[in-house]
Amino acid sequence: MPINQSLPYDPQLNVSALSAIFSNTTNSYKLLFFLAIMEEIKTNLSKGERNQSIKLNSLSIRMLQFAWYPHRFFNLSFGVQDKIARSLDMLNFDIQGSAITNRKSFEELRIAIEDQFNEIGGRSLERYVPYRLLSPFFNKELKGLPDAKINNKVIELTGQSFASNSPSIYRFSDDHSEIILHERWLKYLSDNWRIVQGWALFEWANYLQKKNPSTPAILNKLQPPTNRSPLKKQTDYWKLVSENVDPHCIYTNQPLTTGEFALDHFIPWSFICHDELWNLIPSDPIANIKKGRAIPSEKTLKPFIDQHLMAIDIHHSKNKKSWPRIVQPYLEGLSLSADEILNPDLVAASLEGKMKPLMSLAKNLGYQ
C-alpha cells in the first residue's frame, strides 16, 4: 500500500495534497520543516493548548535541533546542496554520548541554536521552505510561475484558501513572521498526531537512506533514544569471564580488575546502534572514555577476537544449563550453528569477517 494511503481521510480537507508535500524532495528542508510543525503541535498539546500561530523563527530552530542528532552522532549526509549540515557544523555545542537521552541536554541544544541563530545562518531556512511546502495545494496556480514570484503568490493563495472549502495547512501572518494553522488542519494534525508523525518520520528515514545508502540502521538514527540500555546482561556475561581468568584491556594491555571495567562498543554504538554481545568488550574505563566514538586500530582486532573466544569457552564450560540462551547473540550475529560456535577457528573467522568490513565502512563514512 502506498504510504500516502496511510494518512487518515478527512472529507473536509485535502489530504491528498498533504500526502504529496514530500514528492520529488531533493533536500531536507521540507521534511524538517513539517517535522518541526508537528513537534510544535505536540508541545502545545502537552500544555493543553491548541495554538494556531507558530513563529517561523521557532520552526527554524526546531529544524536545526531535529537535524543535529543524525548529523552530529552519525555523520549522516543530508545531500551535497543541503545547507542544514553547514549550519550545524558552525554551531558551538557538544555533549558526551552518555547525555543524549537527557532532556536537559536537548533543551541546552535549543538554547545554543537560538543564541547563535544568525551566526550559523538559521535565518536562511525561512526564505523558501515555508512557501514551497504548500506547493501541492496550489499546483495549478503555481505552474509555470517564475521562482522569484512563488513566495508572494503562495502568501496570496493561502490567504484566499482559508475562506474556501479547501484550505491549505496554514497561511502567513501579515508581517510574514508566523504561520497560522487552519483550525481544521490543526484539529486533524492534533487528533492524528502519532499517525502523521510516523508517516513524516518514515519519509525522513527514506530520504536519509537514499543520501546514505551504505549506512546501517537508519531508523535508529533519526532521534535520540528515550534511554540507553544499562547493559546488565552483557556486563554479567563478562563478569563471569573476569572471575575465571585475568582479562586485559585490548587498548592499554593492562589487566582488568574483576568487576571494575567498562563495556566498550568495539564498533561505536553511534554507527551500528545496537548492544549485541559480539561487539562488546571489557575495557579500562578511562581508555573507554578516551576512545569515544572512534574506530579502533586494526591491531586491536586480534586481541578482541581472542577475548571473545576465551569468553565463549568459559561460558560453555561453566554455564551448561544457560548455554543455549547465552550463546544465542553469537549464533544470530555471526550466522553460526550451535556446533560451529564451539569451533574457535570458525568463530575467529566469522568475527574477523564481521568486523573488518564494518570498520572499513565506518571510516569511509567519516568515523576516525
Side-chain angles (χ1 to χ4, degrees):
M1 178 182 293
I3 189 64
N4 60 11
Q5 292 185 24
S6 69
L7 291 174
Y9 172 72
D10 189 309
Q12 294 185 305
L13 296 172
N14 189 351
V15 178
S16 294
L18 172 63
S19 72
I21 61 175
F22 304 135
S23 298
N24 304 314
T25 300
T26 57
N27 55 53
S28 69
Y29 311 138
K30 290 181 181 179
L31 290 151
L32 290 171
F33 188 78
F34 185 76
L35 285 165
I37 292 174
M38 294 302 291
E39 285 300 313
E40 284 285 341
I41 291 173
K42 178 185 178 183
T43 299
N44 289 333
L45 286 174
S46 69
K47 298 176 183 177
E49 302 172 355
R50 287 203 176 193
N51 296 335
Q52 288 179 255
S53 299
I54 307 174
K55 291 183 179 298
L56 287 177
N57 176 266
S58 297
L59 291 171
S60 296
I61 290 171
R62 282 199 182 272
M63 288 172 70
L64 291 165
Q65 189 179 17
F66 198 87
W68 182 86
Y69 180 69
H71 175 67
R72 165 65 177 80
F73 270 86
F74 303 114
N75 297 327
L76 294 184
S77 170
F78 298 157
V80 177
Q81 302 298 324
D82 199 287
K83 296 180 181 179
I84 292 281
R86 298 180 204 174
S87 294
L88 293 173
D89 287 338
M90 290 188 282
L91 181 69
N92 182 21
F93 181 79
D94 195 18
I95 60 173
Q96 295 296 321
S98 59
I100 60 173
T101 61
N102 191 326
R103 290 302 302 175
K104 183 180 178 182
S105 297
F106 212 54
E107 176 61 18
E108 290 171 352
L109 169 62
R110 187 195 64 77
I111 293 171
I113 294 171
E114 187 173 9
D115 289 345
Q116 302 170 54
F117 190 69
N118 290 329
E119 290 88 338
I120 64 176
R123 191 72 61 189
S124 65
L125 300 177
E126 301 169 15
R127 193 172 301 158
Y128 299 112
V129 65
Y131 311 94
R132 302 312 196 265
L133 185 74
L134 297 178
S135 295
F137 287 86
F138 311 110
N139 281 328
K140 183 179 178 180
E141 294 87 344
L142 296 176
K143 187 176 181 181
L145 197 68
D147 197 61
K149 295 185 177 181
I150 289 179
N151 285 10
N152 287 334
K153 189 63 175 178
V154 169
I155 292 171
E156 175 190 335
L157 292 169
T158 56
Q160 294 172 357
S161 78
F162 265 46
S164 73
N165 292 325
S166 184
S168 57
I169 302 172
Y170 54 82
R171 64 176 178 87
F172 297 87
S173 62
D174 291 341
D175 63 359
H176 308 160
S177 67
E178 298 179 338
I179 64 168
I180 302 170
L181 296 165
H182 191 279
E183 59 182 353
R184 292 208 300 267
W185 274 112
L186 177 58
K187 184 178 188 308
Y188 175 89
L189 296 174
S190 299
D191 292 350
N192 300 292
W193 191 90
R194 288 187 180 278
I195 297 173
V196 178
Q197 176 77 348
W199 165 74
L201 286 173
F202 181 85
E203 294 288 344
W204 176 227
N206 277 343
Y207 173 82
L208 289 176
Q209 192 68 76
K210 289 176 183 177
K211 299 297 181 182
N212 303 269
S214 300
T215 301
I218 285 288
L219 283 172
N220 294 327
K221 298 178 178 180
L222 304 183
Q223 298 174 287
T226 305
N227 53 62
R228 287 281 300 275
S229 166
L231 303 179
K232 184 179 185 307
K233 291 181 180 179
Q234 297 92 326
T235 300
D236 290 344
Y237 175 88
W238 285 104
K239 274 185 179 179
L240 179 64
V241 175
S242 67
E243 290 167 0
N244 286 271
V245 295
D246 295 321
H248 282 61
C249 174
I250 66 172
Y251 305 120
T252 66
N253 202 33
Q254 297 298 311
L256 296 171
T257 305
T258 301
E260 295 183 8
F261 57 79
L263 275 187
D264 176 62
H265 291 76
F266 188 72
I267 305 296
W269 178 88
S270 61
F271 179 67
I272 56 175
C273 282
H274 66 61
D275 302 313
E276 293 298 327
L277 189 58
W278 52 265
N279 184 52
L280 297 172
I281 196 74
S283 64
D284 175 80
I286 295 177
N288 181 48
I289 292 173
K290 287 182 177 179
K291 174 176 173 282
R293 299 187 302 136
I295 301 299
S297 163
E298 196 163 316
K299 69 180 182 181
T300 62
L301 183 55
K302 187 178 185 306
F304 170 84
I305 292 172
D306 289 343
Q307 294 247 25
H308 275 277
L309 294 177
M310 177 180 65
I312 290 170
D313 182 61
I314 289 172
H315 275 275
H316 182 248
S317 61
K318 299 286 184 179
N319 254 334
K320 294 288 187 183
K321 186 176 181 181
S322 303
W323 172 247
R325 174 183 57 80
I326 290 171
V327 78
Q328 194 62 33
Y330 285 107
L331 302 184
E332 294 176 353
L334 303 180
S335 300
L336 294 172
S337 68
D339 291 330
E340 290 172 334
I341 196 68
L342 300 176
N343 184 323
D345 291 337
L346 282 176
V347 176
S350 294
L351 274 170
E352 183 175 356
K354 188 86 170 181
M355 295 303 181
K356 276 191 173 181
L358 287 172
M359 293 167 73
S360 177
L361 178 58
K363 288 179 180 178
N364 289 339
L365 292 174
Y367 286 78
Q368 302 298 319

